[in-house]
Amino acid sequence: MPEISIDPAVEGETYNAVTIRAKAVTDRGTEKTKILLYFSNKGDRLIFLGPMNQVIFEILVHGNYSKIIVPKRKQYWSGEFREFLYELWGIDLTYNEIKALLLEQRINSQKLKKNGFDLQIIESEKKKYPVRINLANDDIKLEFRIYEVKKRSGKIVLTKELERYATVTLRKLFRSNSE
């Protein structure tokens, strides 16, 4: 399984790590994704993994601005995370809003309702996955299982050398990823 790029030599620095399992059910079928989220006060890094633990997306986030990288195709897109999330699952939330929902179960329910989503939060007594969040509208049903957030020592690398990567539009990024 891919590991996050960290610089372990930085003494006294820490970051948080959490695993999120996402399942999306649409009329086209079911997609399961594992999301590795690493975050600190300097920025966040996400890795979206497919069923065979292959990297689908690597995402670097600073505020609500992100770089979505598809290593397999040597492509990337830069822009607001909200645009990526809307193209992926039809959710019109900023990065900070979706992160607050998944990690703190805090959300503006009016905004979700405006987007046509119903929300259900289920807290489990099992330590394995303490929280399950279901989002559903007429087009998609999403289930997120959020595992325990762990503090680790080191510093997340929030840059990636992209000079050999092609800049593409968000639509092209998704189109070429589903081929």
Side-chain angles (χ1 to χ4, degrees), residues 21 27 29 43 57-58 72 74-75 87 94 105 115 124:
R21 292 197 184 272
D27 55 0
F57 299 111
E58 188 174 337
K72 183 179 178 183
K74 299 260 189 250
Q75 297 176 331
E87 187 72 26
T94 66
Q105 295 75 56
N115 286 288
S124 173

Side-chain angles (χ1 to χ4, degrees), residues 11 49 55 58 79 91 101-102 119 128 137 143 154 168 170:
E11 195 143 330
L49 302 171
V55 176
E58 188 174 337
I91 302 173
L101 171 62
L102 296 177
L119 171 68
K128 188 176 179 186
N137 69 13
E143 176 183 280
V168 295
L170 192 55

Side-chain angles (χ1 to χ4, degrees), residues 38-159:
Y38 303 89
F39 60 98
S40 68
N41 58 356
K42 295 189 174 121
D44 298 14
R45 191 172 187 143
L46 297 94
I47 299 177
F48 280 59
L49 302 171
M52 304 296 282
N53 279 338
Q54 77 277 17
V55 176
I56 301 170
F57 299 111
E58 188 174 337
I59 304 172
L60 306 173
V61 183
H62 295 280
N64 284 312
Y65 177 80
S66 60
K67 278 190 182 165
I68 314 296
I69 303 162
V70 181
K72 183 179 178 183
R73 303 218 182 267
K74 299 260 189 250
Q75 297 176 331
Y76 76 96
W77 172 83
S78 298
E80 276 194 51
F81 188 84
R82 180 185 60 75
E83 295 175 48
F84 167 77
L85 196 61
Y86 191 80
E87 187 72 26
L88 181 64
W89 290 321
I91 302 173
D92 189 18
L93 296 176
T94 66
Y95 177 74
N96 290 328
E97 289 170 331
I98 193 73
K99 184 178 170 185
L101 171 62
L102 296 177
L103 299 184
E104 302 167 23
Q105 295 75 56
R106 192 171 42 88
I107 190 67
N108 178 346
S109 56
Q110 300 285 62
K111 192 168 185 179
L112 278 179
K113 287 271 185 230
K114 188 177 130 196
N115 286 288
F117 279 94
D118 292 321
L119 171 68
Q120 181 185 27
I121 298 174
I122 302 163
E123 295 202 27
S124 173
E125 293 175 13
K126 296 180 183 178
K127 270 202 177 250
K128 188 176 179 186
Y129 36 84
V131 178
R132 190 171 83 212
I133 297 173
N134 296 325
L135 287 173
N137 69 13
D138 295 339
D139 300 323
I140 190 167
K141 287 184 174 82
L142 295 164
E143 176 183 280
F144 298 96
R145 290 182 185 244
I146 297 89
Y147 294 76
E148 183 181 359
V149 177
K150 297 178 181 168
K151 191 174 262 329
R152 296 185 177 165
S153 60
K155 179 182 172 187
I156 305 169
V157 176
L158 295 168
T159 59

